[in-house]
Amino acid sequence: MSESAAPTESAASPSPTAPGATFNGVAFDVAFSFQYPASWTVTNRGPDNQEGGPFVITNEANVEIASLEVRPVFSIGPCDRICADMDVTYLGEVPGRGTLGEKTYAVQTKAMDLTSRKDLQQANGWEDNVRLIVGVVGNPSDTPAEDPFHFQTLAGIDTHAKDSPLRPITFAAQRHFRTMTEAKAYTSSSEYVQLQAMMGSLEATITTSSEGGASTPTTGEPSGRK
């Protein structure tokens, strides 16, 4: 059964950089947690018989704003639709406050403008000309161009399994805008700052527990930025 968080606000209302609740989950032997604003909700929308999520975060208006997913193996297929490398604009990067096992990570923001390529927009399900992505990355990218099909953020955690030594973790949010100017302006919004803070609080470790797939929301006074 899907589980959702029903947090209550702590004594002091959380600021954009001080989320007010913590979500704990386990998927594919990865135990993870992150902090988020108490007015938001986290729900495991994965099938009952499937680990890994997605764990979907919605805001106070019940609008989906981000998601986290753990996968058992690393796999990226080739572009199977209209393909073309397009310019990437990097809009920000902050170090994560947690770790993925023994590794550090960053929260990176990047955008791509497909105003001149309506065919690529349609092929990749874009809602407007510019897609902005903010997400957790194990190795921050500086690639000047990417195919829209592979335009994403990705991190991972090392495991002890010989058949799958890396568990991919995707913790990201995407937005669409009419222009790159509007996308850049979004990075000054309170929602964007809250997303950065939430993603930057991610902690993940490998567990030997056989009870995979459990997820538990908790509330309380989270620690601030380190």
Side-chain angles (χ1 to χ4, degrees), residues 36-184:
Y36 62 101
S39 60
W40 294 3
T41 302
V42 185
T43 306
N44 182 358
R45 293 189 182 171
D48 291 342
N49 61 348
Q50 175 182 300
E51 291 186 63
F55 299 88
V56 175
I57 299 95
T58 54
N59 63 14
E60 53 272 18
N62 200 32
V63 175
E64 179 178 337
I65 56 174
S67 66
L68 183 150
E69 186 170 4
V70 181
R71 298 194 296 276
V73 295
F74 179 77
S75 176
I76 297 180
C79 176
D80 59 1
R81 56 197 67 171
I82 302 173
C83 307
D85 285 346
M86 303 298 292
D87 290 345
V88 176
T89 300
Y90 293 92
L91 300 178
E93 182 183 313
V94 295
R97 305 191 304 281
T99 56
L100 304 179
E102 298 180 353
K103 295 182 177 180
T104 60
Y105 65 88
V107 179
Q108 188 173 62
T109 305
K110 57 185 182 179
M112 180 180 289
D113 188 347
L114 295 184
T115 300
S116 64
R117 293 295 304 268
K118 301 299 183 182
D119 57 337
L120 287 174
Q121 289 185 41
Q122 183 175 6
N124 292 279
W126 288 33
E127 299 172 10
D128 213 327
N129 296 327
V130 179
R131 175 177 287 179
L132 175 148
I133 295 178
V134 52
V136 170
V137 293
N139 296 302
S141 174
D142 59 0
T143 305
E146 296 181 32
D147 192 303
F149 181 77
H150 294 117
F151 187 58
Q152 60 182 312
T153 57
L154 183 66
I157 182 170
D158 294 330
T159 76
H160 304 298
K162 294 182 179 180
D163 58 338
S164 54
L166 181 72
R167 294 279 188 267
I169 299 174
T170 302
F171 194 11
Q174 64 179 34
R175 298 289 181 275
H176 289 92
F177 301 94
R178 185 175 60 85
T179 66
M180 184 64 74
T181 299
E182 292 176 357
K184 291 178 178 179

